[in-house]
Amino acid sequence: MISRITRRLLTAPALRRGISSDSSRIQSAHQVFAGLTKNRPVYRITDPVEVIREPSVFYQGLLRGISLAKHRIVLSSLYLGSDESELVTALDRALAANQGLCVDILLDCLRGTRSDSRNQSSATLLAPLVRKYGDERVRVAMYHTPALNGISKRLWPQRYNETFGLQHIKAYVFDDELIVSGANLSREYFTNRQDRYIKIGSRGLALYFEELVRSIANFSFRLGNNGLLAMPVGVPDPSLDPREFVTVANAVMTGFLSRAQAENTISSGDVDEADTLAIPTVQMSQLGITQDEEHMREFFHITDAFARLHGCRNLMASAYFNFSDFHKRNVLRSSSRWDLLVASPRANGFFTASGISRYIPDMYSIIEHEFLKSSGGRPDIAVEEYYRDGWTFHGKGVWCYLDQKLPQLTMIGSPNYGYRSIYCDLETQITLIPGTAGSLQNDLHQEALSLLSHSEMVSEASLKKRIRGSPLWLYGLKPFILKKM
């Protein structure tokens, strides 16, 4: 059965004010989105871009990338699952076969040192590689948020202390090839946890993410040959001296972003309509870096202005219906048509959780209901929930259709577009503006349709019925959920 949102994506948007949809009278996507390329690094992509749809294919792509890499492997994730011995074995074989190969791994310190029932963690899994090949060839960095410090550091237990802020960037580089995703390096993300994954062949982007990860590593804990974590010489411990840590980290990141922009600028006159453009953006609000937030603000402004004249529709996906006030405000004020895709309660990663966490899907339903109520029943704003038997949903990103039946822009990366994405975590995403050459636009459209084929639209009335009977204390937890989950 085709969902109502799927039907909406298969049809052109309603025209505004009688303006013709004749594409010859409307600017190209490159012209419409020219504002997104200002003051940001921009990469021209000449090789085909592959849209991966299934987690098993993503996993095979990781193994293939590791086996073929000769010079660089860069893995940036929230954590490495403590059962992922196959990935570690693949890294071991690649390092043994290629003396010139270096591996950079960036994880979150709190999540990466959290132990399972066997006392295993990301750190213990990677320590043998560091010991075997040395910390010059295998560089494992673990970022620690400066927001968790002092007495809070001592009092908050594992798992709950991760609500203060995390390293959330997901990017995987193999020589001159990049897979950008929202997926972590853990078994469920390789089997039945649906996310998004795009493979891009680009030396420029590969070098960008290599330098990004190494820049963050410069103010992160390092895993040494002795298996212990230590901060780089001269860098303060974020849990002991957070203010000075932020000063140091901000200087490192400001320098990196300035260099990346200066070295990768494309003027509008140099862009051919056949070119696909890639624009990486970074958000690290705790460190004073708000590039992605500014990028999203410009995107909302551009699409709203375009929609007033020609019509525009956007699909925005997130693992959780926990969009920030910034995102909800811009959606509700927009002249564009907005479809929001999130996990249904049964496809939420917390659905089978124990303790208080099992109520989190109910809280998201409450937030969904309040959002649709605040929309005033606008027919051009809709919410759809993903459900696939035995699967969970972790997809995130944006598809923008402007005036045509195929998307003319997509955003993909780690942000869930919530409060944490803006104010707490380290995030990055890539904005892709497809060129007229190749099949990227159609591939992105088919990706959206594939996700929506497992989705069902919800209404204010259906959500009201669902949340009826929810415990009153759950409403009191809403401010915490909005800012911490």
Side-chain angles (χ1 to χ4, degrees):
M1 179 180 294
I2 299 177
S3 73
R4 282 175 284 177
I5 287 186
T6 303
R7 292 192 187 99
R8 286 153 68 103
L9 289 179
L10 288 170
T11 59
L15 299 176
R16 311 290 178 116
R17 302 179 186 176
I19 300 297
S20 169
S21 63
D22 181 358
S23 61
S24 64
R25 301 185 188 181
I26 298 176
Q27 292 176 303
S28 69
H30 291 70
Q31 293 170 318
V32 172
F33 294 119
L36 297 180
T37 66
K38 295 178 180 178
N39 302 317
R40 297 174 188 100
V42 184
Y43 297 86
R44 182 184 285 108
I45 309 301
T46 55
D47 291 337
V49 176
E50 181 182 351
V51 179
I52 299 171
R53 294 194 208 169
E54 294 292 331
S56 59
V57 180
F58 164 62
Y59 183 57
Q60 292 304 314
L62 294 177
L63 292 177
R64 175 184 176 276
I66 291 171
S67 67
L68 295 179
K70 304 298 181 185
H71 307 292
R72 74 173 69 85
I73 293 175
V74 180
L75 306 177
S76 177
S77 179
L78 173 62
Y79 65 101
L80 173 66
S82 56
D83 291 325
E84 296 310 317
S85 57
E86 186 177 19
L87 276 178
V88 176
T89 299
L91 289 170
D92 187 4
R93 289 172 178 166
L95 285 159
N98 300 281
Q99 295 302 311
L101 177 64
C102 290
V103 177
D104 288 273
I105 299 174
L106 173 65
L107 306 173
D108 181 74
C109 186
L110 299 173
R111 185 66 179 84
T113 55
R114 190 212 295 179
S115 299
D116 63 13
S117 58
R118 301 166 300 152
N119 205 31
Q120 296 295 307
S121 67
S122 304
T124 60
L125 192 61
L126 291 169
L129 278 183
V130 179
R131 281 196 298 269
K132 183 174 182 179
Y133 296 101
D135 56 14
E136 290 300 312
R137 289 190 66 198
V138 181
R139 297 179 282 249
V140 178
M142 294 194 167
Y143 170 83
H144 189 295
T145 174
L148 183 66
N149 59 75
I151 192 170
S152 296
K153 172 76 171 177
R154 295 191 294 273
L155 293 180
W156 282 82
Q158 279 193 341
R159 186 177 184 183
Y160 295 101
N161 59 11
E162 296 166 21
T163 62
F164 284 82
L166 295 167
Q167 190 307 106
H168 202 242
I169 295 168
K170 323 299 174 51
Y172 309 107
V173 175
F174 311 102
D175 287 343
D176 296 341
E177 186 176 274
L178 163 72
I179 299 178
V180 61
S181 179
N184 291 303
L185 298 175
S186 185
R187 185 53 39 186
E188 64 269 28
Y189 291 92
F190 305 149
T191 53
N192 61 346
R193 189 154 171 76
Q194 183 67 60
D195 213 299
R196 296 183 68 205
Y197 336 83
I198 293 183
K199 183 165 68 174
I200 306 170
S202 167
R203 177 176 173 80
L205 268 182
L207 292 174
Y208 172 93
F209 277 93
E210 179 183 50
E211 188 175 352
L212 171 62
V213 165
R214 289 184 175 181
S215 295
I216 297 171
N218 286 336
F219 50 84
S220 297
F221 284 95
R222 305 282 190 87
L223 185 60
N225 296 333
N226 58 4
L228 301 177
L229 293 172
M231 291 297 289
V233 175
V235 180
D237 186 321
S239 65
L240 300 177
D241 191 355
R243 184 170 298 181
E244 183 59 26
F245 171 82
V246 169
T247 299
V248 172
N250 177 270
V252 172
M253 289 309 305
T254 299
F256 162 71
L257 293 173
S258 297
R259 290 192 303 275
Q261 177 190 328
E263 296 169 3
N264 299 282
T265 299
I266 295 180
S267 65
S268 57
D270 292 336
V271 176
D272 188 285
E273 299 304 321
D275 295 336
T276 291
L277 301 182
I279 310 163
T281 47
V282 172
Q283 184 76 10
M284 302 175 175
S285 189
Q286 290 183 348
L287 308 182
I289 304 297
T290 57
Q291 184 188 53
D292 189 63
E293 181 183 1
E294 296 159 8
H295 185 76
M296 289 297 296
R297 183 177 290 108
E298 180 67 17
F299 170 75
F300 281 123
H301 172 74
I302 289 172
T303 53
D304 180 54
F306 188 91
R308 291 177 186 274
L309 294 175
H310 308 294
C312 177
R313 68 191 185 284
N314 302 285
L315 170 64
M316 181 160 62
S318 175
Y320 318 102
F321 198 100
N322 197 16
F323 297 102
S324 73
D325 288 342
F326 166 75
H327 292 90
K328 288 188 289 189
R329 184 171 58 250
N330 277 284
V331 167
L332 291 171
R333 290 177 179 176
S334 177
S335 298
S336 296
R337 195 162 76 189
W338 280 92
D339 300 310
L340 306 179
L341 174 63
V342 296
S344 75
R346 290 178 296 173
N348 189 294
F350 292 100
F351 185 66
T352 58
S354 58
I356 197 172
S357 295
R358 68 188 179 94
Y359 290 99
I360 291 176
D362 295 331
M363 175 56 68
Y364 290 137
S365 294
I366 291 172
I367 298 170
E368 275 183 65
H369 174 258
E370 292 180 351
F371 172 79
L372 283 177
K373 186 176 180 179
S374 67
S375 73
R378 281 177 53 179
D380 55 352
I381 293 179
V383 175
E384 185 129 334
E385 293 182 342
Y386 181 98
Y387 175 71
R388 187 175 174 185
D389 189 31
W391 288 59
T392 56
F393 182 69
H394 198 249
K396 51 192 75 72
V398 172
W399 296 255
C400 176
Y401 283 74
L402 290 181
D403 61 307
Q404 296 184 15
K405 292 185 178 181
L406 295 177
Q408 289 152 293
L409 174 147
T410 194
M411 296 181 183
I412 179 173
S414 62
N416 278 302
Y417 307 121
Y419 180 94
R420 291 189 57 136
S421 297
I422 297 179
Y423 299 108
C424 300
D425 300 339
L426 305 191
E427 307 275 15
T428 186
Q429 63 178 346
I430 291 179
T431 297
L432 285 173
I433 304 174
T436 54
S439 62
L440 181 55
Q441 280 186 285
N442 185 65
D443 293 344
L444 290 169
H445 183 58
Q446 294 303 317
E447 176 197 33
L449 293 180
S450 177
L451 294 175
L452 290 168
S453 69
H454 298 287
S455 305
E456 184 174 317
M457 190 181 293
V458 294
S459 65
E460 181 186 343
S462 65
L463 288 168
K464 183 177 181 179
K465 182 178 180 181
R466 182 194 295 173
I467 65 176
R468 187 177 296 143
S470 296
L472 291 177
W473 58 262
L474 194 57
Y475 289 81
L477 282 180
K478 190 174 69 169
F480 177 83
I481 298 294
L482 284 170
K483 293 187 177 183
K484 295 296 186 181
M485 303 304 292

